[in-house]
Each structure stands twice: as C-alpha cells, then as structure tokens.
C-alpha cells in the first residue's frame, strides 16, 4: 500500500494554464506538506498543514493555493503557470511529534511548463 | 531559509568502500535527520539524531553529531551499487520541529 501518493506523476502544460496536484496519505498523520525541488535538487518547503489548518506558508507566490479537504488530503492548485514553476513537487506527511518530525514523502510530481 | 549544507556535493566510490558525507549547519538544532533520494523518487528517511546524542547506528549506517562544530557525518560502510542516490541532511531548530533540508550529496557507487 502506498503511504503517500500524488497524482499526476508527470504534468506538462503551457504557460498561463491553471493546474492541480493531488496528495493523499493513509498513515493517519496530522501534518502534511508541499515541497518544491529545483533542478539543483534544493528542496524548499512551501506549505505545511496540521489537521487541515495552515501552519506554514513560506514565501510562495499567491498563485499557489493549497487546499486540505480533510487531514488525509492536501492538494496544490497553481494558477497562471510560469516557466519558473517547472520543478518537482513533493507532498509529505508526518505525525505531529514535538520530538522531531520524520517526513514521509510521496513520489513527486514532475511539472514542466512550456 | 536553508540550514544544512552537505559536503561533498558529489562522491564517486567503488563497491565495498566506505562513503562519508558531511553536513554543516549554522544555528543550534533540536534534531538532525538524514534522508536518501533515489533518482526519480521521493526522499526516504534514514536516521534521526537528537541534539543530545553523539552517535547512532542503523545497519550499515553510522551518524555522528558534533554540536560544538555544528556538523554531522553519515558513514555508509561496505557500500553497494544500490546505495547510489542523493543524501540529504535536514535540521530543525528553535520552536519549529519541521526540518529544513540541505542541497544533498550525490553518491555514485560503481559495481
């Protein structure tokens, strides 16, 4: 059973389009995240949700909007896609553990904006 | 902001050799974690070491932490071709227990 799943795995689209990436975790974790990994493999956190509430919103353009319908799902909607949005987007989850939060990552969504 | 910096950026060794990767960070930490990322995959957690610990082992992995030097090392003993991957350190500090990742060390193990 896949613990953290993302769809789609690949996404190729034109500039200006709006797209969504879905994430689901079946680990019963309270916290979910979105990360962006650039071409140099730098992994940067974008958002963090705990029990459906936003707790971290790093400096991300407001074209990016996360939505958490329940604590097992955290979707990422991106409006007006730009070339610089091309990257791999990872969803992750973790238990709300104040003694160090081990992250469980999804397989990633490779976004290419043309 | 980026906290951990891995060194070297790339490492190429022969199967059976040991691989050592280092991570340096700037501010005091609560915990430090190491993750592995195989090509085209998500990151997989390897080991977590707390700020009051100095060394941890897991199978062929050995992690050390030197808080006075603000650095950690990951040693993979008797490496295998399957160990080929990128290795990331991640630290959390202050009131936030959410880890911040470095840029990773790319390890290639030649059979």
């Amino acid at each position: 059973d896949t613990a953290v799943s993302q769809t789609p795995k690949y996404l190729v689209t034109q500039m200006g389009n709006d797209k969504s990436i879905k994430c689901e975790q079946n680990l019963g974790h309270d916290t979910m995240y979105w990360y962006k990994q650039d071409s140099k493999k730098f992994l940067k956190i974008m958002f963090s949700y705990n029990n459906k509430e936003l707790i971290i919103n790093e400096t991300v353009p407001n074209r990016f909007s996360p939505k958490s319908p329940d604590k097992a799902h955290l979707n990422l909607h991106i409006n007006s896609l730009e070339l610089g949005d091309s990257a791999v987007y990872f969803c992750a989850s973790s238990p709300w553990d104040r003694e160090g939060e081990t992250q469980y990552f999804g397989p990633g969504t490779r976004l290419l904006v043309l | 902001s980026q906290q951990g910096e891995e060194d070297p950026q790339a490492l190429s060794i022969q199967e059976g050799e040991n691989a050592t990767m280092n991570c340096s960070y700037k501010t005091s930490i609560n915990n430090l974690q190491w993750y592995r990322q195989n090509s085209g995959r998500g990151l997989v957690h390897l080991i977590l070491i707390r700020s009051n610990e100095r060394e941890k082992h897991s199978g062929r992995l050995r992690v050390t932490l030197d808080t006075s030097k603000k650095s950690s090392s990951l040693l993979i003993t008797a490496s295998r071709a399957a160990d080929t991957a990128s290795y990331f350190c991640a630290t959390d500090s202050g009131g936030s227990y959410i880890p911040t990742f470095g840029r990773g060390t790319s390890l290639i193990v030649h059979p």
Side-chain angles (χ1 to χ4, degrees), chain A residues 50-106:
Chain A
N50 179 254
N51 272 323
K52 296 171 40 180
E53 288 190 23
L54 181 67
I55 55 172
I56 282 182
N57 180 357
E58 292 292 316
T59 307
V60 174
N62 58 13
R63 298 181 294 104
F64 290 79
S65 54
K67 287 187 171 49
S68 182
D70 55 62
K71 77 172 195 178
H73 296 83
L74 181 62
N75 303 324
L76 183 64
H77 188 76
I78 316 170
N79 288 327
S80 303
L81 278 155
E82 300 177 357
L83 294 177
D85 297 332
S86 296
V88 183
Y89 291 85
F90 287 99
C91 177
S93 71
S94 68
W96 186 246
D97 176 2
R98 300 300 291 184
E99 302 206 341
E101 297 190 4
T102 297
Q103 311 260 303
Y104 294 78
F105 283 81

Side-chain angles (χ1 to χ4, degrees), chain A residues 33-50:
Chain A
Y33 312 83
W34 277 107
Y35 287 87
K36 179 180 179 181
Q37 187 173 43
D38 64 23
S39 58
K40 296 184 179 179
K41 293 198 172 180
F42 179 40
L43 195 67
K44 184 176 178 180
I45 191 166
M46 300 173 70
F47 301 102
S48 173
Y49 267 73
N50 179 254

Side-chain angles (χ1 to χ4, degrees), chain B residues 6-26:
Chain B
E6 292 90 344
D7 172 64
Q9 286 190 340
L11 183 60
S12 181
I13 60 174
Q14 294 295 129
E15 210 165 30
E17 294 179 341
N18 295 341
T20 299
M21 289 158 269
N22 303 297
C23 171
S24 58
Y25 55 90
K26 296 186 176 71

